[in-house]
Amino acid sequence: AEYMGLAKPLRIGYLLNSQFFPLSIANRRAVIEAAEALRRAGHEVFEITLPSLEEMTVTYFALMTGDKLRFYKEALSGEPFLEEYHQIVGMAELPKVFRSILARLAPLLGEHRGAKMLKATGEKTAHELLSWSSKMRQLQDDFIDFWNSQRLDIIIFPGLGLPAIPHGASRELLLSLCYTFCFNLLGNPAAAIPVTRVRPGEDRYDDPIHNDRYTLKAKAAMVGTVGLPVGVQVVGRQFEDELVLNVSRQIEKIVAFNAAPDNIGLSV
């Protein structure tokens, strides 16, 4: 087999789903096709599960909003946040008393994911920030232990939970990015590469777990997506960026995304 400069085949895991934000049909297929490309290249490829993705996402937002986004506001030097960030800005600035009330009401309305985000976001005391930072370090250590226990070299991860979404829709669909937030938290190198396009019949969103506003927004965002590109992430250990790039190149070479005359449904 051809390993493109590697001395031996790699052990590569791939993640097909997270219960926190289930993948669209096309995003799931993209991971499968990338995994199959690497299997054809001679690598050992197998499915993995990562139950802590929800915990990673919540922890990321807890730390990100811990100062009510003051760090980001200072970096913007008076420039306003984009409209797409207004939901997370609202969560960050919500007074604690209202946050507590809304977090209790949300599950009664079926908004369990929203309740978790409400509880985690917002300004924190020094003690609370230290607790969340400790949680982050524990998640980082657990991920390293998982990586070592599976003897992994690379993980193929979904790029997002959905294909490209309409302008402005990310305001209500930040959780669809949970597949990328986790590596902001963990610090692993990750490359994003296109693999396929949304096919006819895949322009819908099915969520067997949730029935909340995120699900409704995801269903609406999938309308008209036929022909849009769908990618994956290639994730490596910390400081193994070159291996990430090598494997990304292998996938690109086999799937030949740019060579495929596959602009189904696109009008230009």
Side-chain angles (χ1 to χ4, degrees):
E2 170 104 20
Y3 306 131
M4 295 187 70
L6 299 173
K8 62 179 182 178
L10 303 174
R11 278 179 59 85
I12 299 174
Y14 63 94
L15 182 82
L16 279 181
N17 235 329
S18 163
Q19 291 190 348
F20 196 47
F21 197 100
L23 296 174
S24 78
I25 300 169
N27 289 77
R28 179 183 174 90
R29 179 171 57 79
V31 174
I32 292 171
E33 290 186 7
E36 181 56 31
L38 292 170
R39 187 176 285 114
R40 286 164 54 195
H43 300 293
E44 182 182 355
V45 183
F46 52 95
E47 185 177 355
I48 61 169
T49 58
L50 195 61
S52 56
L53 186 61
E54 174 183 324
E55 206 171 0
M56 292 177 188
T57 303
V58 171
T59 302
Y60 172 72
F61 276 104
L63 291 168
M64 176 184 175
T65 62
D67 64 347
K68 292 177 66 174
L69 300 178
R70 289 193 189 97
F71 174 83
Y72 296 93
K73 291 174 183 176
E74 291 172 3
L76 287 169
S77 302
E79 183 179 342
F81 283 98
L82 292 174
E83 177 71 19
E84 287 80 2
Y85 285 87
H86 281 193
Q87 184 185 83
I88 194 64
V89 171
M91 285 185 172
E93 296 181 342
L94 191 67
K96 284 190 175 182
V97 61
F98 294 123
R99 180 188 315 283
S100 177
I101 293 170
L102 289 174
R104 291 177 183 176
L105 287 175
L108 301 177
L109 301 173
E111 300 290 340
H112 298 281
R113 288 183 289 185
K116 290 173 183 176
M117 294 292 288
L118 280 167
K119 288 177 181 177
T121 51
E123 189 172 28
K124 295 168 180 64
T125 65
H127 174 72
E128 288 170 335
L129 280 173
L130 285 171
S131 296
W132 280 107
S133 296
S134 177
K135 182 65 177 175
M136 177 184 69
R137 289 192 295 272
Q138 185 61 57
L139 287 167
Q140 291 169 339
D141 290 344
D142 290 346
F143 190 64
I144 292 171
D145 290 342
F146 170 78
W147 197 288
N148 290 336
S149 70
Q150 299 294 312
R151 296 184 292 116
L152 289 163
D153 295 302
I154 288 288
I155 295 178
I156 304 302
F157 228 69
L160 301 173
L162 302 169
I165 55 180
H167 289 297
S170 60
R171 175 178 179 173
E172 302 288 342
L173 284 169
L174 273 177
L175 290 192
S176 69
L177 279 68
C178 65
Y179 296 95
T180 64
F181 292 146
C182 58
F183 298 114
N184 292 346
L185 186 81
L186 297 172
N188 292 70
I193 57 171
V195 172
T196 185
R197 296 182 186 274
V198 181
R199 295 174 179 171
E202 292 181 337
D203 53 341
R204 69 178 198 273
Y205 184 71
D206 303 317
D207 186 343
I209 302 170
H210 310 283
N211 185 25
D212 55 15
R213 62 191 174 93
Y214 294 113
T215 305
L216 294 176
K217 293 292 182 179
K219 288 179 182 291
M222 285 300 301
V223 175
T225 55
V226 172
L228 291 181
V230 186
V232 300
Q233 295 181 91
V234 179
V235 182
R237 290 178 181 270
Q238 290 185 358
F239 311 114
E240 293 193 355
D241 304 55
E242 289 185 359
L243 183 59
V244 169
L245 293 174
N246 184 299
V247 173
S248 299
R249 178 66 184 120
Q250 291 186 51
I251 295 173
E252 286 184 333
K253 183 177 180 181
I254 295 171
V255 303
F257 175 84
N258 291 327
D262 188 7
N263 35 342
I264 311 167
L266 291 176
S267 55
V268 292

